[in-house]
Amino acid sequence: MAGTQIEGPTTPVALVESVYERMPARLDVARRRVGRPLTFAEKVLFGHADDPETIGLDRGADYADYRPDRVAMQDATAQMALLQFVTAGLPRVAVPTTVHCDHLIQAHLGADIDLKNAVDANSEVYDFLRTVSEKYGIGFWKPGSGIIHQVVLEQYAFPGGMMIGTDSHTPNAGGLAMVAIGVGGADAVDVMAGWPFNTRVPRVIGVHLSGRLSGWTAAKDVILKVAGILTVKGGTGAIVEYFGPGAESISATGKATICNMGAEIGATCSIFPYDERSARYLKATGRDAIADLATANAEQLRVDPEVEADPERFFDRVVEIDLDALEPHLVGPHTPDLDRPISKVKEAARSEDYPLDISYALVGSCTNSSYEDIGRAAHVARQAKAAGLRVRSPLLITPGSEQVRATIERDGYLDDLEAIGATVLANACGPCIGQWKRDDIKMGDRNTIVSSFNRNFPRRNDGNAETLSFIGSPETVVAMALSGRLDVDFVHEAIAGPDGAEVRLEPPVGDELPSKGFDPGESGFIAPAADPGAVDVVVRPGSDRLELLEPFPAWEGTDLTGLRVLLKAQGKCTTDHISPAGPWLRYRGHLTNISQNLFTGANNAFAQGESGQGVDVRDGSTVPLPDLAKAYKDAGIDWVAVGDENYGEGSSREHAAMEPRYMGGRAIIVRSFARIHEANLKKQGVLALTFKDPGDYDKIRVDDTIDIVGLDALAPDVPVHVVVHHADGTTDEFETTHTMSPEHIEWFRAGSALNVLRRG
Ligand code: MIC
Ligand code: SF4
């Protein structure tokens, strides 16, 4: 098994070989069992089934065990995952695993100084992550080496492979034909401990691509369009599989952009077939042997021909995108599925009264920071420079990895961008995760920003709910920075140049890959220790950043009665509402401290006006939700939270599930859940319940007490009964559904999945 060898800075060819070797026999079993041809995603899943002969087949219904080839974690989620892993008492990880330091670097003054400040400010956390990695056989990527998903794409992703990662944008690796799934830390702990990854067999949505990408239209526009069609919950429980002749007109990194943002529509992951563009990327990143192997096994790495010929028969849904007709798009504000072609943005901006001046433009993030992305952005910058134009909105650039940064520097792209006034930030998440120290506006100032990122929830980038964030491709963002206005259609109109001259921007052109090859830059990889016994892992007692975990108590064996309603979330309640990032990233390894942010972004139907407030039913006072949760906990009062549609959308951060659990939350009852968050709740022993009749949401009142009954008979597919006692003496009763398998029920009983793992 690959786990016994020392993790290196790239995927060993032997691992890829072993995946390809076992695939044909497994696909025979799969075809025999399902009795039809297979989509590519199904091939990869069967290729990684714990047991292909018995694995569940019913897409969207059965739970199934898979054996991923790899685990990746970023620093903001790895802390909690590794705090859990070390309590399992195992000598080393069972599968190849890496940790990437990218989220904790604050963007403020520019790459060098920001990186130095991050290393100083986070040394305790980085030391913890590095020593745990060294001790347990995990590859460690230092701060500055790049954003997890770019580094994974450059070094570890391979066609037909399967991985999980503790970050919702892990599906980025689908651009290299990999099933790559974002999970919470507890799922990663299972796999690192040698257990299978358990998830529901995904449905498969096919996106058929015809035509070719050209002109201003970029890969980003494909996913912005798909997001508009499928909406933020349309991909839930599904793999989005791209196929058709248009796929070959998109580079590997462009495909990764599309797969990355599949997270925004709730998809389990997204995937492209292996093609010549994938081979080119593998070779350019020094993986010729893997490219050759993949080419030799190409048939396993795409849909069966019958599926391509008659997709409606085999996919759960088919979406058609004609790349020839696709215009560049901009989505937002506040949600990634509010999409408009650039040609319609002006009209919308005026009618919706969006601030027309763009206060900042940002290029980068794991989604859009490849060599090709920056090359196309730089081409727009060169045109501007030739016309004497500089940016009218400040422009920030974050390269995706050290390799991309060194190469775009060598090839002059950074100079092109700096020449029109751009500032280059460290190779990290920076403003994308709210690690952005903005000095130009005050909190509460209404303003517009445009970025090439993937998320645009309120407060996401700068903590200000009045920042309206729009998302487009890197070239769109640079063009908009040049006009500085939301109401200039740079595709069809001229931009005002110096002295009033009109400047027409030509569609951008950029090389897919560097003709001189990549410059690897400064290597950021640290291999695990040869002698793990010599490595000490230190968690300083009294630290405010790291805290060892206490196991959650086991279920008391009785029904849950007399629960209070802490919160009834109204409308969007993403993980950024439940456990915001930005300044709170500081406490990602300290459950007690981070719990102080619980629900601070949530809109409570019972305490409207300001977000994050709740009503203490004991005296009717309105108090911040984290304080209320703590007060209830201290008084021994357990509680539930109620939520609306797609509750827990967004990040994989399991803090959004651990915090409620830690603060006395026993159940979350919602109209619908986002996949990762629901899984995270179950892992931590919280009952994740869905109103059978969404209308029952309306029955919940502020001063109710709630009983969740019949728990001794908790079983898969059996509804859970809820009795609501209103303060006026009346009661309501309703049924809720859940997705707990027998194993998940065991987690609930034991108090958490980790408690089960510890028991061995
Ligand atoms: C995000 O984009 O929201 C994050 C920050 O990368 C998260 C992970 C986290 O909260 O640490 C994600 O997408 O999973
Ligand atoms: Fe980092 Fe943003 Fe990508 Fe999340 S979405 S991994 S914060 S760059």
Side-chain angles (χ1 to χ4, degrees), residues 41 45 58-63 66 181-182 199-205 230-241 262-263 265-270 316-317 646 672-678 739:
L45 289 175
D58 205 354
R59 301 200 301 218
D62 290 342
Y63 274 84
Y66 297 99
I181 301 181
T199 195
R200 204 172 235 186
V201 180
R203 292 178 298 118
V204 191
I205 298 177
L230 290 177
T231 78
V232 288
K233 53 179 289 206
T236 307
I239 294 190
V240 180
E241 177 169 337
I265 53 173
T268 300
C269 70
S270 303
D316 293 285
R317 174 171 177 186
N646 209 22
S672 63
F673 280 110
R675 175 189 62 89
I676 305 180
H677 186 61
E678 182 181 19
T739 59

Side-chain angles (χ1 to χ4, degrees), residues 545-602:
R545 308 267 326 242
L546 295 167
E547 176 186 52
L548 294 173
L549 291 168
E550 292 292 330
F552 292 132
W555 173 51
E556 49 277 65
T558 55
D559 285 343
L560 303 177
T561 56
L563 306 172
R564 284 296 181 181
V565 184
L566 183 81
L567 154 80
K568 178 168 166 178
Q570 204 169 34
K572 229 189 221 309
C573 191
T574 71
T575 44
D576 279 289
H577 294 81
I578 304 169
S579 173
W584 291 98
L585 285 174
R586 185 172 166 77
Y587 301 117
R588 283 292 185 85
H590 198 294
L591 185 55
T592 307
N593 285 348
I594 197 161
S595 294
Q596 295 311 308
N597 77 357
L598 177 63
F599 293 130
T600 43

Side-chain angles (χ1 to χ4, degrees), residues 74 102-103 147-149 167-170 260 264 364-369 398 428-434 453-455 460-461 585 651 653:
Q74 42 88 343
D102 53 1
H103 280 60
I147 307 176
I148 176 169
H149 310 303
D167 190 280
S168 65
H169 293 102
T170 303
N260 178 303
E264 271 52 64
S365 89
C366 57
T367 330
N368 267 120
S369 50
T398 31
C429 301
C432 179
I433 182 56
F453 303 167
N454 40 24
R455 295 216 197 281
R460 165 82 181 183
N461 303 115
L585 285 174
S651 158
R653 61 190 76 139

Side-chain angles (χ1 to χ4, degrees), residues 559-564 640 669 704-711 720-725 731-732 734:
D559 285 343
L560 303 177
T561 56
L563 306 172
R564 284 296 181 181
V640 302
I669 312 175
D704 290 342
T705 55
I706 300 219
D707 299 344
I708 302 177
V709 298
L711 289 177
V720 171
H721 199 73
V722 175
V723 185
V724 183
H725 304 274
T731 54
D732 270 306
F734 55 81

